[in-house]
Amino acid sequence: MPMDITKMPNLDKFDIAILKCLQEDARATNVEIAEKVNLSPSPCLRRIKRLEDDGIIKGRVTLLDAGRINVGLTAFIALRTTEHSASWLEQFSNAVRDIPEIIGVYRMTGDVDYLLQAVIPDVAAYDRLYQRLIGRITLADVSSSFVMQEIKATTVLPLD
């Protein structure tokens, strides 16, 4: 759920430094973070807890090498639909949530209604994903592009 800008907490230089540390390495200990941001461990831990409670820190994850676990092909799937009802959107949301290869789903402006990001081992696996998708939801048009080279991919959000 998006944060109401009027309720956005005021982040100071310590909060920003903590967030930068955690984005670089979520495994860093509180003591390591405190040392990097020039705070003692107790206030650092309280700040991290507040950032979590405020929803700024949504979670901590481990990033995997997609190629090493056999999902090294990324596809961006552009969808168009002729239906824009709440019931269709609910059906669509349920359909894409249940397909683990789909790792991102975005409602778009412009010519494309939805953009999906999927990771699969190869084109044959993409075709199986495509068949599952169109078997679950009615779509007007599906157009896919495959990533040939990843030039930049990051989970680090800008804090400046």
Side-chain angles (χ1 to χ4, degrees), residues 55-125:
I56 293 171
I57 297 174
K58 292 176 21 176
R60 300 183 198 193
V61 300
T62 298
L63 301 176
L64 306 178
D65 183 319
R68 305 266 321 239
I69 59 168
N70 198 30
V71 288
L73 181 61
T74 299
F76 286 95
I77 308 163
L79 305 178
R80 285 188 16 229
T81 181
T82 56
E83 184 157 349
H84 298 279
S85 69
S87 63
W88 184 92
L89 179 57
E90 182 178 351
Q91 182 184 2
F92 171 73
S93 297
N94 290 334
V96 296
R97 253 189 233 111
D98 291 341
I99 300 174
E101 297 91 339
I102 297 173
I103 62 169
V105 178
Y106 310 93
R107 191 164 56 95
M108 307 295 290
T109 62
D111 294 337
V112 171
D113 294 315
Y114 298 90
L115 184 64
L116 283 54
Q117 181 180 6
V119 292
I120 56 275
D122 52 36
V123 175

Side-chain angles (χ1 to χ4, degrees), residues 16 19-24 55-58 152 154-160:
I16 291 169
L19 293 171
K20 285 181 178 181
C21 285
L22 286 171
Q23 285 193 107
E24 290 170 9
I56 293 171
I57 297 174
K58 292 176 21 176
K152 180 180 180 181
T154 184
T155 61
V156 176
L157 300 177
L159 295 170
D160 300 327

Side-chain angles (χ1 to χ4, degrees), residues 24-43:
E24 290 170 9
D25 184 3
R27 294 178 306 167
T29 67
N30 180 57
V31 172
E32 291 168 336
I33 296 167
E35 185 176 303
K36 285 183 181 179
V37 302
N38 296 319
L39 281 173
S40 60
S42 293

